[in-house]
Amino acid sequence: MAGHSKWANIKHRKGAQDAKRGKVFTKIIKEIAVSVKVGGSDIDSNPRLRSAIQNAKGVNMPKDNILRAIKKASGNDAESYTEVNYEGYGPGGIAIFIECATDNINRTVAEIRSIFNKNGGELGKNGSLEYLFDRKGLFVIDKEKIKINLEELEMDLIDFGLIEFEITDKYCTIISEFEKFGEMQSKLSEISVETNTSSIERIPKDTMKLNSNDSIKILDMIEKFEDLDDVQKVFHNLFFDDDLLQQLSDE
């Protein structure tokens, strides 16, 4: 797994924290709006929209809210968001890649730059760090909800872009090829495997290890980015060892 399972676990944990802060609904509604704009409102033919809806259900967003968001995004008065990425370095040389959806690019870049500057980092040029990450599909599933044999499930998914299949005490994590994200999503639905989250992620090719104190500083910085309304996702190449994961789970 080369650390990917730990990376996936921390992503899942951060998602749970976001939900507690009440920000995840806003981000999902914005993702629905962008998904409809890019691929239309037909759920069956739009994997990105299907993923947004699955994630909405995963954080218990009411069905009426989801349908209202799709309807609004399909209308003539739909809000228009521009997707833009920002890349930079945090303390210790940790690479940080930020995906945003914004209706005001000047505001967004000013807020992103401010967090980098105030936390010992530096905003870089677009495209300067993208090569450090691979785009992959990520699916997180409650293990107890899987009603079929896990070994059989793994074998069934190989033809649908499966790269890694990780089982922990509570979750089953699937990483797929980026190009086959939609096929994997459809296959899981076809065999009635309900995902907690499904998304396109940027997984670091290599990770960097810092001491615990510096790692916590990086994670605090990342949390500041995630708290911005215009930020949808934040990726980085910080290595999570068992001690750091334990520290985070104790918070």
Side-chain angles (χ1 to χ4, degrees):
M1 285 293 291
H4 288 176
S5 61
K6 293 179 180 179
W7 176 89
N9 287 341
I10 201 66
K11 290 292 295 183
H12 187 72
R13 174 186 174 276
K14 292 296 292 181
Q17 285 183 331
D18 285 346
K20 291 177 183 177
R21 288 196 297 266
K23 286 186 171 291
V24 73
F25 278 22
T26 301
K27 294 181 186 294
I28 287 178
I29 288 172
K30 189 178 287 189
E31 173 62 15
I32 288 173
V34 173
S35 300
V36 170
K37 178 183 177 182
V38 171
S41 60
D42 181 4
I43 298 171
D44 292 333
S45 63
N46 188 342
R48 182 169 176 176
L49 177 58
R50 193 159 61 241
S51 176
I53 292 171
Q54 288 173 339
N55 294 342
K57 291 178 179 178
V59 294
N60 299 315
M61 179 182 283
K63 183 179 180 180
D64 287 347
N65 291 34
I66 298 172
L67 295 175
R68 191 159 51 244
I70 295 173
K71 183 177 180 180
K72 182 177 180 181
S74 306
N76 294 328
D77 59 343
E79 295 181 74
S80 181
Y81 296 107
T82 299
E83 292 185 280
V84 60
N85 300 329
Y86 298 100
E87 302 157 59
Y89 286 102
I94 297 298
I96 300 175
F97 194 104
I98 305 164
E99 293 182 349
C100 301
T102 179
D103 58 0
N104 187 327
I105 290 179
N106 291 334
R107 176 193 65 225
T108 305
V109 68
E111 291 175 338
I112 296 290
R113 182 180 287 111
S114 175
I115 291 175
F116 271 116
N117 292 343
K118 291 178 180 178
N119 291 273
E122 182 179 5
L123 179 63
K125 295 180 180 179
N126 280 4
S128 60
L129 301 182
E130 191 166 8
Y131 73 96
L132 296 175
F133 300 87
D134 284 325
R135 299 194 78 188
K136 305 290 184 185
L138 174 69
F139 304 82
V140 179
I141 306 160
D142 278 334
K143 193 168 71 172
E144 64 182 20
K145 292 183 179 179
I146 301 176
K147 306 304 181 183
I148 57 180
N149 180 275
L150 292 178
E151 290 185 4
E152 291 180 8
L153 175 61
E154 182 176 7
M155 293 299 295
D156 285 346
L157 297 179
I158 289 175
D159 290 337
F160 297 89
L162 178 70
I163 296 174
E164 297 176 1
F165 190 91
E166 176 74 6
I167 302 168
T168 62
D169 290 341
K170 294 182 178 180
Y171 303 109
C172 175
T173 300
I174 294 168
I175 295 179
S176 75
E177 297 172 17
F178 166 65
E179 295 80 6
K180 291 197 172 184
F181 174 76
E183 290 182 41
M184 177 65 74
Q185 194 180 55
S186 296
K187 178 61 178 179
L188 290 171
S189 177
E190 177 188 318
I191 58 179
S192 300
V193 173
E194 181 181 350
T195 61
N196 286 33
T197 61
S198 64
S199 55
I200 297 293
E201 305 287 336
R202 297 179 189 270
I203 298 180
K205 295 177 180 177
D206 294 295
T207 54
M208 292 181 61
K209 185 174 182 179
L210 303 179
N211 63 50
S212 292
N213 287 338
D214 289 340
S215 295
I216 294 298
K217 289 178 182 178
I218 289 290
L219 293 178
D220 286 343
M221 181 180 181
I222 289 166
E223 192 165 319
K224 289 182 173 69
F225 286 126
E226 291 176 332
D227 281 340
L228 295 177
D229 289 340
D230 295 336
V231 171
Q232 292 295 93
K233 296 180 183 177
V234 182
F235 306 102
H236 56 84
N237 65 345
L238 176 66
F239 176 77
F240 293 98
D241 60 19
D242 292 334
D243 290 340
L244 179 57
L245 285 171
Q246 186 59 51
Q247 264 186 274
L248 294 170
S249 65
D250 290 341
E251 289 179 1

